């Protein structure tokens, strides 16, 4: 007798929706070529039994629920506690994603090493216990309350965690875990969904917070179905260049706090070091009198910090002018150069323009437009901008300088770091600023040129 044919389903890797057959375009999210084939998950007793503990529950009136304060645990890391909203909430599921080598495993191991008061279960599916021990020796810290468990079967992990009842559990990584209830390979869409659901149920039932480490795809998204990000309570994304020393941990989703926060770390030989004031590290570290540099006052989320914009303008050697930008959108650079040529009369069509954001940052704040413009003009004229000048403004297509959000906070940050002049839009509403700093309001590019190079 022939074996029954395995039933297959198609999952969308972008949104996680399931379909009985392949389609070029996902009807739910509208993305093309995102459906992948997987074997259907058979219904097993273990899945049905999982719902039994909830049979005794009953609904409650919304007015009867106490929402005075969520119980939080401090991780002894000011930057990480702040981005989580004041500490990790008990029973929450936190997902940390990032490129390979960015520092996800380093950060996840530094948490228990820096919190000896928390009994931590560190589950590793990628490395052996000896490898984790070698990394902990390099990082330093107190490892007396951290237990290492090398396992990939999630049922064994949850069973051991229920016996141990730790204060915190860390899983590195969710893509290496698998469950016997899903007949597919580890890392597949169905496995990641089932593993995340099991860990979520474990966290909510026991009140133990769980931190998951997740891989990302070549497009920069967390690997697996999009439903993984919907299941977890908090999604944190690591950003930064592997060759650079700075790392930015950005809050993408947070059910217990703000998503407008970011934390800055510096990768050192002994792990990730907190950078409480990133402006002091990103401002110029060279002698004065160099042309082609300008300081931008950026606001990422709710945190203002200043960094250096570097530009180099030279005659085109190969006939066709080159445009290159590191950490900045090259299309926006082309727009700014076109505005300079059309609205201000600067002939840059036959010149190479190279732009770099110092510190390996990736900038998307439009307030950096004014600093980019000033750096390009400074390099073009070979005229250095004084070190005490700072810029915060958006450049429009008609050559006007548009106001940006929270200009007051940007000016206050520049004043705190000792800058003498801050160039902003003439249309920006400003409250009285601190003494010692002058706010220069410019309405368009020609007025900026007059104020800078008079």
């Amino acid at each position: 007798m022939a074996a029954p044919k395995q039933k297959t389903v198609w999952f969308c890797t972008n949104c996680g929706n399931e379909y009985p057959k392949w389609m070029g375009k996902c009807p739910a999210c509208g993305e093309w070529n995102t459906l992948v084939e997987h074997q259907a998950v058979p219904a097993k007793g273990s899945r049905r039994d999982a719902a039994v503990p909830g049979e005794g529950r009953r609904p409650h009136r919304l007015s009867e629920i106490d929402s005075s304060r969520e119980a939080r645990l401090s991780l002894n890391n000011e930057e990480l506690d702040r981005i989580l909203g004041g500490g990790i909430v008990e029973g929450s599921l936190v997902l940390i994603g990032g490129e390979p080598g960015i520092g996800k495993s380093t950060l996840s191991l530094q948490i228990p090493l820096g919190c000896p008061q928390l009994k931590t279960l560190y589950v590793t599916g990628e490395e052996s216990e000896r490898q984790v021990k070698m990394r902990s020796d390099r990082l330093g810290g107190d490892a007396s309350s951290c237990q290492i468990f090398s396992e990939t079967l999630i049922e064994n992990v949850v069973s051991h965690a229920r016996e141990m009842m730790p204060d915190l559990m860390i899983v590195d990584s969710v893509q290496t875990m698998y469950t016997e209830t899903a007949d597919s390979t580890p890392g597949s869409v169905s496995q990641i969904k089932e593993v995340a659901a099991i860990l979520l149920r474990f966290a909510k039932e026991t009140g133990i917070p769980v931190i998951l480490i997740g891989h990302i795809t070549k497009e920069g998204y967390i690997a697996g179905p999009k439903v993984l990000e919907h299941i977890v309570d908090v999604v944190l994304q690591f950003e930064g260049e592997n060759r650079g020393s700075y790392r930015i941990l950005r809050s993408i989703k947070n059910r217990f706090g703000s998503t407008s926060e970011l934390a800055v770390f510096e990768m050192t030989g002994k792990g990730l070091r907190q950078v409480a004031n990133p402006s002091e590290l990103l401002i110029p570290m060279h002698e004065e009198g160099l042309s082609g540099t300008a300081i931008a006052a950026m606001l990422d989320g709710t945190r203002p910090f200043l960094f250096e914009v570097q530009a180099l303008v030279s005659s085109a050697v190969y006939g066709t002018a080159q445009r290159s930008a590191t950490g900045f959108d090259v299309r926006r650079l082309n727009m700014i150069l076109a505005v300079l040529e059309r609205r201000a009369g600067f002939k840059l069509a036959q010149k190479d323009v190279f732009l770099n954001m110092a510190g390996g940052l990736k900038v998307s704040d439009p307030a950096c437009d004014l600093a980019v413009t000033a750096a390009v003009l400074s390099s073009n004229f070979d005229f250095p901008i004084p070190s005490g000048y700072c810029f915060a403004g958006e450049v429009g297509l008609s050559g006007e300088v548009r106001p940006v959000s929270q200009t007051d906070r940007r000016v206050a940050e520049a004043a705190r770091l000792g800058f003498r002049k801050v160039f902003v839009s003439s249309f920006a509403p400003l409250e009285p600023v601190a003494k010692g700093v002058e706010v220069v309001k410019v309405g368009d590019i020609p007025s900026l040129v007059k104020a800078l190079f008079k």
Side-chain angles (χ1 to χ4, degrees):
M1 183 177 178
K5 184 178 179 181
Q6 287 285 346
K7 182 181 177 182
T8 60
V9 293
W10 296 82
F11 284 100
C12 176
T13 57
N14 185 59
C15 65
N17 279 278
E18 178 182 329
Y19 302 98
K21 62 180 181 179
W22 181 87
M23 289 175 285
K25 180 180 180 181
C26 175
C29 63
E31 293 293 327
W32 289 87
N33 298 324
T34 57
L35 267 65
V36 293
E37 184 181 13
H38 288 282
Q39 292 182 358
V41 179
K44 293 187 178 182
S46 58
R47 291 174 56 106
R48 294 193 299 268
D49 296 340
V52 173
E55 291 179 352
R57 298 175 183 170
R58 61 180 182 84
H60 296 273
R61 291 182 184 274
L62 188 61
S63 58
E64 298 175 352
I65 301 175
D66 182 19
S67 61
S68 57
R69 184 174 179 83
E70 286 280 357
R72 294 180 181 267
L73 298 174
S74 175
L75 300 178
N76 288 355
N77 188 311
E78 294 181 3
E79 291 292 290
L80 194 56
D81 284 344
R82 181 176 54 79
I83 198 175
L84 288 172
I88 190 168
V89 176
E90 293 184 359
S92 63
L93 193 61
V94 179
L95 176 63
I96 301 178
E99 296 180 353
I102 202 73
K104 304 185 299 297
S105 299
T106 300
L107 178 64
S108 63
L109 188 56
Q110 280 186 260
I111 292 174
L113 295 179
C115 299
Q117 76 279 8
L118 297 180
K119 184 169 62 173
T120 306
L121 176 61
Y122 189 96
V123 182
T124 172
E126 298 180 341
E127 299 175 307
S128 65
E129 297 176 355
R130 186 183 298 271
Q131 289 175 303
V132 177
K133 171 61 176 175
M134 292 171 60
R135 184 188 292 117
S136 68
D137 292 340
R138 177 175 58 87
L139 298 176
D142 189 351
S144 59
S145 59
C146 179
Q147 292 194 22
I148 306 298
F149 188 31
S150 181
E151 180 60 74
T152 55
L153 181 60
I154 196 63
E155 283 81 6
N156 292 345
V157 172
V158 171
S159 175
H160 184 79
R162 289 186 183 275
E163 294 178 3
M164 177 183 171
M165 291 303 291
D167 299 319
L168 175 67
M169 186 167 78
I170 301 173
V171 179
D172 185 13
S173 66
V174 66
Q175 280 82 13
T176 60
M177 299 293 149
Y178 74 97
T179 172
E180 294 178 337
T181 61
D183 295 335
S184 54
T185 58
S188 63
V189 173
S190 56
Q191 284 285 359
I192 293 177
K193 286 175 60 178
E194 293 299 317
V195 168
I198 292 173
L199 290 174
L200 178 67
R201 184 164 57 248
F202 165 77
K204 301 305 179 186
E205 289 178 355
T206 61
I208 299 173
V210 179
I211 297 178
L212 304 179
I213 305 301
H215 300 162
I216 67 169
T217 62
K218 61 181 180 181
E219 290 82 12
Y221 303 105
I222 295 177
K226 199 69 175 178
V227 71
L228 174 63
E229 299 181 36
H230 295 298
I231 291 176
V232 301
D233 298 310
V234 181
V235 179
L236 305 179
Q237 182 83 12
F238 249 128
E239 299 176 0
E241 294 290 337
N242 292 341
R243 296 180 297 274
S245 59
Y246 300 115
R247 306 285 190 269
I248 293 178
L249 187 63
R250 191 184 305 275
S251 176
I252 306 298
K253 171 188 175 182
N254 192 350
R255 289 175 177 162
F256 313 108
S258 173
T259 57
S260 300
E261 295 290 344
L262 60 87
V264 181
F265 297 91
E266 182 183 10
M267 180 62 77
T268 66
K270 294 186 177 181
L272 291 166
R273 184 183 68 85
Q274 303 177 58
V275 179
N277 188 5
S279 299
E280 296 180 353
L281 297 177
L282 300 175
I283 54 180
M285 296 183 180
H286 52 69
E287 297 180 357
E288 296 185 10
L290 296 180
S291 62
T293 62
I295 305 299
M298 188 176 76
L299 192 71
D300 204 327
T302 60
R303 185 175 191 178
F305 57 90
L306 278 60
F307 68 97
E308 185 182 50
V309 177
Q310 301 173 340
L312 177 62
V313 180
S314 62
S315 300
V317 179
Y318 302 105
T320 304
Q322 300 182 60
R323 303 285 187 262
S324 176
T326 302
F328 192 77
D329 189 355
V330 69
R331 295 171 297 181
R332 194 161 188 86
L333 172 62
N334 290 330
M335 184 206 75
I336 293 175
L337 296 179
V339 170
L340 286 174
E341 183 156 349
R342 180 68 178 85
R343 303 296 182 183
F346 296 101
K347 303 301 180 182
L348 300 173
Q350 299 302 318
K351 292 188 176 181
D352 295 337
V353 180
F354 303 94
L355 191 68
N356 177 51
M357 304 292 114
L361 293 179
K362 294 181 180 178
V363 177
S364 59
D365 190 354
C368 303
D369 291 354
L370 201 60
V372 171
T373 303
V376 170
L377 294 177
S378 172
S379 179
N380 185 50
F381 296 147
D382 197 18
F383 186 90
I385 297 175
S387 59
Y389 289 11
C390 181
F391 303 86
E394 179 184 358
V395 176
L397 288 178
S398 60
E400 81 279 12
V401 178
R402 304 174 61 86
V404 293
S405 63
Q406 303 187 47
T407 305
D408 295 331
R409 299 193 61 186
R410 304 172 196 263
V411 174
E413 178 73 6
R416 189 180 65 82
L417 293 174
F419 283 83
R420 305 191 310 271
K421 285 187 178 182
V422 182
F423 291 78
V424 300
S425 171
S426 58
F427 305 102
L430 279 176
E431 297 179 358
V433 297
K435 295 182 180 180
V437 61
E438 177 187 356
V439 176
V440 181
K441 294 190 174 183
V442 292
D444 51 20
I445 299 299
S447 60
L448 173 67
V449 175
K450 293 179 182 178
L452 272 180
F453 308 107
K454 60 183 178 180

